[in-house]
Amino acid sequence: MSDTTFDILRARQDTPGCEQVLHFNNAGAALMPNRVLDAVTGHLRLEAEIGGYEAAESAHDAVEHVYDAISQLIGSQRDEIAIIENATRAWDMAFYSLSFKPGDRILTSIAEYASNYIAFLQIAQRTSATVEAIPNDQHGQVSVEALQRMIDERVKLIAITHVPTNGGLVNPAMEIGKIARQANILYLLDACQSVGQMPLNVQVIGCDMLSATGRKYLRGPRGTGFLYVRRDLIEQLEPPFLDLHAATWVTKDRYEIRADARRFENWETNYAGKIGLGVAVDYALAWGLEDIWTRVSHLASTLRTRLSDIPQVQVHDLGVQKCGIVTFTVAERDPLEIGYKLAGQKMNVSVSATASTRLDMEQRGLASVVRASVHYYNSEEEIERFCDFVSRIG
Ligand SMILES: *Cc1c(COP(=O)(O)O)cnc(C)c1O
């Protein structure tokens, strides 16, 4: 499908925020479509009117549907999905279920997200396992050849970020999956920025575990996320926390952990958010992930080209195939200052600082960058307006 057939008008009409702001902060939190907003507020209203437990009971089918919707989105089975309050906790529930001993190696990416890396460091300190970043290739993405050379029997986990928080890079998740499968090493993929932005299938990628969030490219409500764990791995993983939802207290001295991925969930949850997440996934599926990806990558590439035309602007995105996250700096300007100026024009961006992806930022000598992340509902007119303003700042 060519980009011109994308019904941009409908996408914008479905999105109340489009009338208020120029929103290039989709990697932070995308604008919710009406349908998601209505599902969330509708359920909250129902809770107020008939009671929280009673509302959950009456929304039972919508809640269960969330697992089917996510499974359709990523090519899993419904019992392989846990719905968790954000991507970080989802990732943590997988990572902290693994056990490491001295000398075990964890291989990760240069562009790894801070929360993941902090967890690696904590486990390395506790267990004397080591964490090592796989070098990048000449395009700035994980070098599949370097990874191949690093493999030995001590490698216990390959945990990489698919699309980093601080740029347009898309790491070669599938090629990494092939190496993980061949070597029989567990593979945990942080797909927080890629889910909802591009087609993604866990069977094709070959990952064992995958974490994602609701509010970014999926356009779901805040405080939602999910974890995928491959069926035959679930029962080998003991979650770091258990409660009466994850396990059942069967006799005075004994509990049994559930057999499905919901062992990584906990009992109390934001039902309105969860229902809204399901609606957001259905909505993305209705647009089609191929079409979303075509549109998002086209818009981002237009934005990169237009920004590069401004003499004092430098665009920083790495990788062979680039996604909807566009990062740049303006000569002699602090990215925070750029961010404030844009905010004054109701143009939303965010600023990525060193500490969120330290290895990558230090390697590239970048202290911070402006992050302008586009979604399919953004327009070419917005790109022009944005670049026009940026060119006048610099
Ligand atoms: C945002 C982000 C996360 C964390 O997601 P939360 O839902 O905020 O926990 C993890 N990894 C990457 C690459 C991210 O961009």
Side-chain angles (χ1 to χ4, degrees):
M1 185 190 189
S2 84
D3 185 60
T4 48
T5 60
F6 199 94
D7 192 350
I8 170 73
L9 192 65
R10 183 165 70 79
R12 293 181 71 78
Q13 279 167 349
D14 282 359
T15 308
C18 284
E19 285 176 16
Q20 309 288 329
V21 289
L22 181 158
H23 194 69
F24 286 179
N25 193 14
N26 293 288
L31 298 174
M32 282 182 278
N34 274 318
R35 225 176 280 188
V36 172
L37 181 63
D38 293 346
V40 174
T41 54
H43 190 78
L44 281 177
R45 187 171 305 282
L46 193 63
E47 287 185 347
E49 287 170 356
I50 69 168
Y53 287 32
E54 295 73 12
E57 186 55 39
S58 89
H60 177 267
D61 291 353
V63 172
E64 286 304 314
H65 173 72
V66 188
Y67 297 87
D68 296 314
I70 293 171
S71 295
Q72 196 187 334
L73 181 74
I74 66 165
S76 67
Q77 301 297 315
R78 73 194 311 279
D79 63 348
E80 297 174 315
I81 300 298
I83 296 167
I84 298 176
E85 60 265 36
N86 56 58
T88 303
R89 274 295 171 271
W91 187 96
D92 285 341
M93 289 305 285
F95 177 69
Y96 286 97
S97 293
L98 305 171
S99 53
F100 295 93
K101 54 183 192 310
D104 283 349
R105 300 168 71 202
I106 298 167
L107 303 186
T108 189
S109 54
I110 299 278
E112 201 64 9
Y113 189 65
S115 299
N116 304 350
Y117 209 86
I118 289 166
F120 297 145
L121 292 175
Q122 185 190 35
I123 288 301
Q125 282 168 16
R126 270 190 201 164
T127 67
S128 298
T130 62
V131 49
E132 297 161 59
I134 308 155
N136 287 335
D137 67 13
Q138 72 272 26
H139 305 290
Q141 58 188 32
V142 168
S143 165
V144 177
E145 283 162 25
L147 169 62
Q148 186 72 69
R149 284 195 300 274
M150 289 169 90
I151 298 295
D152 65 19
E153 68 287 349
R154 289 184 304 131
V155 177
K156 193 74 186 283
L157 175 70
I158 299 170
I160 67 137
T161 296
H162 194 189
V163 166
T165 192
N166 69 329
L169 169 68
V170 184
N171 269 321
M174 191 180 75
E175 288 73 12
I176 292 167
K178 278 192 194 123
I179 294 177
R181 290 279 66 75
Q182 272 164 15
N184 205 17
I185 295 166
L186 288 178
Y187 178 21
L188 168 58
L189 186 67
D190 175 342
C192 200
Q193 295 289 4
S194 51
V195 163
Q197 176 175 185
M198 60 188 70
L200 192 156
N201 183 301
V202 292
Q203 315 300 334
V204 174
I205 291 175
C207 57
D208 300 291
M209 300 158 281
L210 174 147
S211 56
T213 206
R215 74 181 185 281
K216 296 181 179 173
Y217 277 90
L218 275 176
R219 308 183 64 193
R222 296 200 64 173
T224 60
F226 67 85
L227 173 69
Y228 154 81
V229 179
R230 184 168 50 78
R231 176 66 263 182
D232 41 333
L233 184 61
I234 296 170
E235 291 190 75
Q236 297 170 40
L237 297 185
E238 188 180 325
F241 311 118
L242 290 173
D243 72 353
L244 79 183
H245 170 81
T248 307
W249 194 8
V250 287
T251 66
K252 191 159 142 295
D253 306 315
R254 218 168 55 77
Y255 60 82
E256 277 169 12
I257 310 179
R258 335 175 30 128
D260 63 12
R262 295 190 203 188
R263 63 170 51 196
F264 302 103
E265 296 181 344
N266 57 78
W267 191 83
E268 173 56 0
T269 194
N270 178 350
Y271 279 80
K274 191 163 174 172
I275 293 165
L277 174 63
V279 173
V281 172
D282 284 342
Y283 187 73
L285 289 168
W287 281 105
L289 272 298
E290 287 288 351
D291 290 354
I292 290 174
W293 178 223
T294 303
R295 169 92 187 147
V296 169
S297 44
H298 164 77
L299 277 177
S301 135
T302 306
L303 178 56
R304 273 186 209 103
T305 307
R306 287 285 288 106
L307 283 170
S308 311
D309 288 343
I310 304 170
Q312 56 286 25
V313 169
Q314 206 187 344
V315 174
H316 295 285
D317 303 310
L318 304 174
V320 176
Q321 197 184 19
K322 297 183 183 70
C323 72
I325 303 178
V326 178
T327 52
F328 65 96
T329 47
V330 180
E332 281 155 48
R333 297 283 186 161
D334 182 344
L336 277 177
E337 180 200 342
I338 306 287
Y340 291 136
K341 290 213 155 105
L342 287 164
Q345 302 296 309
K346 294 193 171 182
M347 296 184 184
N348 298 343
V349 295
S350 66
V351 172
S352 292
T354 306
S356 61
T357 44
R358 180 169 290 282
L359 299 184
D360 172 57
M361 296 295 270
E362 284 183 351
Q363 192 170 77
R364 292 196 280 159
L366 291 169
S368 63
V369 291
V370 183
R371 181 182 72 178
S373 44
V374 296
H375 215 322
Y376 57 81
Y377 56 75
N378 289 126
S379 67
E380 279 79 358
E381 183 274 326
E382 287 179 317
I383 291 178
E384 292 310 312
R385 199 146 46 88
F386 181 85
C387 292
D388 184 55
F389 186 75
V390 171
S391 73
R392 284 185 284 117
I393 296 176

